[in-house]
Amino acid sequence: MEVIVIIAYLIPTLILFSYSCAQLSLVWKYWKKRRKENKNPSPNIINLPSKLPLVTIQLPIYNELYVVERLIEAVCRFDYPQNRLEIQVLDDSTDETVEIIARNVQFYQAQGFDIRHIRRTHREGFKAGALAYGLTLAKGEFIAIFDADFVPNPDFLTQTLPHFSNVQVGVVQTRWVHLNESYSLITLLQAFGLDGHFIVEQGGRNAGGHFINFNGTAGIWRKTCIHDAGGWSADTLTEDLDLSYRAQLRGWQFVYLENVATPAELPATMPALKSQQYRWMKGAAECARKNLTKVVHSPTVRISTKIYGVFHLLNSGVFLAVFIMALASVPILVITVFEPKYNYLFGIFSIFQLSFLMLLAFYGTTHYRHKTFGQFVWQLPFFLTVIMGLSLHNAIAAAEGYLGKKTPFVRTPKWGIVQSKDGWQRKNYLVKSLNWLTIAEILLAAYFAAAVGLGLYWHSYQMTVLHAMLALGFGFVSFYSVKHSLS
């Protein structure tokens, strides 16, 4: 039995260590590129062509009464000629959002915009289906996509389109920034994690010439790239990641622009965050199931790009490793107390604590580039604590994706929350998460709190910090799941 527990702890720990090494290598690639840019402070400026291309803007909408007007207004403020711009509002809504869109479309049509309110008779394929349908009607050479919670800046097209001067470029993706980062601790920690992805992960992979992904919004596609890659598909919950890999396997290049920021609204409640995380984690696992072997066996993809692609596609599996490691850590504590011959394990496991130092470098880069050190000092441990608290929820989502269990696309609610005075309590689209999973998270918080007490009682302190973070993390997630479901 002891051997089984040790293996159950050791294998996930090895996986997490490997993943941390991959993240550290992205930090190195990121800074290597930055050093090159610093040595050449005046790069060649890419200008827009003399004849501006026709651009189609797609706005996939489903029941977004609080934010859709803000989005339409933002894209109609683009610094781009009206006669070279087509706007498609792809509206699958079933509530008063339909009337809001109709009113705004009529208003901007009267001002000379080529804007259409496109309705389908069914919601087949969800967002992917709406994008695919809109593409059959699109007149533009390039397709810009924005989700309802985004507020793109007026210079979005003038900043992104010049990069398509290279005919092999199929996508230009911009960095997300956050309208309501300081709204609450939940939004602050989301911003912390997303910044790591959008600065180091996207920037590092792109710097190394490896596969990155279109993030579903705040980016622009060459229409021929979409068609060449096989078009939008709804057989995964992350149609953006799926199409990104299919396109890059066809040889298309992606460009990531860290310095072009596109603002968006973060989910303001724990149930809404869980809904988003579930879709992202399960969708990534579904994409791995669909595309991993294609990446590994591709004769045209470099070995290094295949390795980074494997880590990228299997990213959501990290939560399976975190959860299994966490569960096994308590029996490990008991074994080492009552079987002193196994105390040497702590010496071995301490090697893998280097993972934390790698995460320091990863997220430290993010804050060095765009934030302050004072924020970083307390946000990193708190962020890791909450991520551990989400491990059960995200592990279930990833497992379902790997096993091929299909579930419908569930949107993340947006409420137009930007300032601290804005509230969500009396608005539509509230998500409830009072279910067996919340009860399990409460029990896990108690489980790891008891482990902290046992460790202190037995004077075995090697895992006290880990168990304290797990107890706090599951307690935080379950507390806000209950609070936001009852509010």
Side-chain angles (χ1 to χ4, degrees):
M1 181 59 72
E2 290 91 346
V3 173
I4 294 174
V5 172
I6 291 168
I7 292 174
Y9 186 85
L10 182 61
I11 291 178
T13 305
L14 283 169
I15 291 171
L16 294 174
F17 181 74
S18 300
Y19 176 77
S20 298
C21 289
Q23 298 295 82
L24 183 63
S25 70
L26 291 177
V27 173
W28 180 79
K29 290 179 182 294
Y30 176 86
W31 282 114
K32 183 179 179 181
K33 181 182 179 182
R34 297 296 305 179
R35 284 196 298 271
K36 286 183 179 180
E37 292 173 348
N38 291 336
K39 290 179 180 179
N40 300 281
S42 301
N44 294 328
I45 299 174
I46 308 175
N47 295 311
L48 282 167
S50 55
K51 182 180 179 181
L52 293 176
L54 182 62
V55 177
T56 296
I57 298 175
Q58 292 188 321
L59 310 178
I61 303 295
Y62 176 70
N63 294 352
E64 302 286 5
L65 68 92
Y66 300 110
V67 294
V68 68
E69 191 168 10
R70 181 180 71 183
L71 171 63
I72 294 173
E73 179 185 0
V75 299
C76 288
R77 291 176 56 245
F78 276 174
D79 183 16
Y80 204 74
Q82 286 187 17
N83 64 350
R84 306 305 295 163
L85 198 62
E86 175 193 33
I87 303 171
Q88 295 181 337
V89 187
L90 306 172
D91 181 23
D92 286 347
S93 300
T94 58
D95 66 359
E96 54 264 52
T97 304
V98 178
E99 288 73 32
I100 296 172
I101 292 173
R103 184 171 63 250
N104 279 269
V105 166
Q106 185 178 25
F107 173 79
Y108 286 106
Q109 283 176 341
Q111 296 190 35
F113 285 92
D114 181 6
I115 180 171
R116 297 177 61 190
H117 186 187
I118 298 174
R119 299 271 295 161
R120 298 190 293 166
T121 58
H122 50 74
R123 201 183 168 215
E124 183 179 348
F126 306 104
K127 179 181 175 181
L131 293 173
Y133 180 72
L135 197 64
T136 64
L137 308 173
K139 296 179 288 187
E141 178 184 353
F142 299 99
I143 312 294
I145 301 171
F146 300 98
D147 284 346
D149 48 333
F150 279 72
V151 189
N153 294 315
D155 63 352
F156 178 87
L157 293 178
T158 56
Q159 292 282 348
T160 55
L161 284 173
H163 296 273
F164 287 101
S165 59
N166 179 350
V167 296
Q168 294 301 312
V169 171
V171 171
V172 175
Q173 173 68 53
T174 65
R175 177 170 61 93
W176 297 5
V177 292
H178 321 292
L179 291 168
N180 59 338
E181 176 176 349
S182 60
Y183 179 76
S184 69
L185 184 56
I186 290 176
T187 57
L188 190 69
L189 295 177
Q190 287 178 71
F192 185 94
L194 286 170
D195 288 345
H197 168 71
F198 278 98
I199 295 172
V200 183
E201 285 189 334
Q202 290 284 63
R205 290 192 188 106
N206 205 217
H210 306 306
F211 288 0
I212 65 170
N213 60 293
F214 169 64
N215 291 105
T217 176
I220 183 167
W221 286 80
R222 192 188 297 271
K223 184 162 68 174
T224 53
C225 173
I226 299 176
H227 288 309
D228 182 64
W232 295 105
S233 173
D235 60 356
T236 75
L237 293 179
T238 47
E239 70 290 324
D240 46 3
L241 178 61
D242 173 40
L243 184 58
S244 296
Y245 265 76
R246 286 189 278 121
Q248 288 167 111
L249 284 168
R250 294 282 298 170
W252 289 96
Q253 298 176 18
F254 282 27
V255 172
Y256 176 65
L257 302 178
E258 178 189 337
N259 293 326
V260 179
T262 305
E265 180 182 327
L266 294 164
T269 70
M270 183 60 69
L273 171 60
K274 282 183 168 181
S275 173
Q276 184 184 72
Q277 287 287 304
Y278 176 85
R279 189 175 69 251
W280 287 355
M281 295 303 113
K282 182 172 183 178
E286 290 175 330
C287 286
R289 181 184 172 98
K290 179 178 179 179
N291 295 301
L292 189 62
T293 56
K294 297 175 185 176
V295 172
V296 172
H297 295 299
S298 172
T300 59
V301 177
R302 293 179 298 158
I303 296 295
S304 58
T305 298
K306 290 181 180 182
I307 293 171
Y308 282 102
V310 169
F311 277 106
H312 189 188
L313 287 172
L314 294 177
N315 186 49
S316 61
V318 167
F319 286 97
L320 281 164
V322 169
F323 184 66
I324 294 170
M325 179 274 294
L327 282 182
S329 67
V330 179
I332 285 287
L333 171 65
V334 175
I335 289 171
T336 54
V337 168
F338 290 98
E339 296 286 347
K341 64 181 180 180
Y342 290 111
N343 279 337
Y344 72 90
L345 290 173
F346 286 123
I348 298 175
F349 294 153
S350 64
I351 297 174
F352 303 117
Q353 292 173 4
L354 292 172
S355 297
F356 182 75
L357 298 178
M358 297 177 192
L359 290 174
L360 279 173
F362 182 85
Y363 288 106
T365 294
T366 299
H367 275 246
Y368 178 82
R369 289 286 297 140
H370 293 283
K371 296 189 178 181
T372 66
F373 181 74
Q375 293 174 312
F376 172 72
V377 169
W378 71 268
Q379 287 181 16
L380 176 61
F382 212 145
F383 169 74
L384 295 177
T385 296
V386 175
I387 284 296
M388 290 180 186
L390 285 167
S391 62
L392 172 61
H393 174 274
N394 289 356
I396 291 171
E400 288 182 355
Y402 291 135
L403 294 173
K405 180 181 178 181
K406 293 298 180 181
T407 51
F409 184 100
V410 178
R411 60 182 286 279
T412 304
K414 302 102 181 176
W415 296 297
I417 291 176
V418 176
Q419 300 176 354
S420 58
K421 66 180 180 179
D422 297 330
W424 48 265
Q425 288 83 352
R426 297 183 180 274
K427 294 190 175 182
N428 297 352
Y429 317 137
L430 289 175
V431 179
K432 306 293 184 182
S433 66
L434 282 178
N435 49 35
W436 70 267
L437 181 58
T438 302
I439 295 172
E441 289 165 346
I442 294 171
L443 294 175
L444 284 167
Y447 174 71
F448 291 112
V452 172
L454 288 173
L456 295 175
Y457 178 76
W458 289 328
H459 303 288
S460 180
Y461 308 115
Q462 292 90 338
M463 290 190 172
T464 300
V465 173
L466 172 63
H467 290 154
M469 291 176 70
L470 287 162
L472 181 59
F474 281 108
F476 182 92
V477 170
S478 58
F479 172 79
Y480 280 104
S481 295
V482 173
K483 180 180 178 181
H484 291 165
S485 294
L486 296 180
S487 297

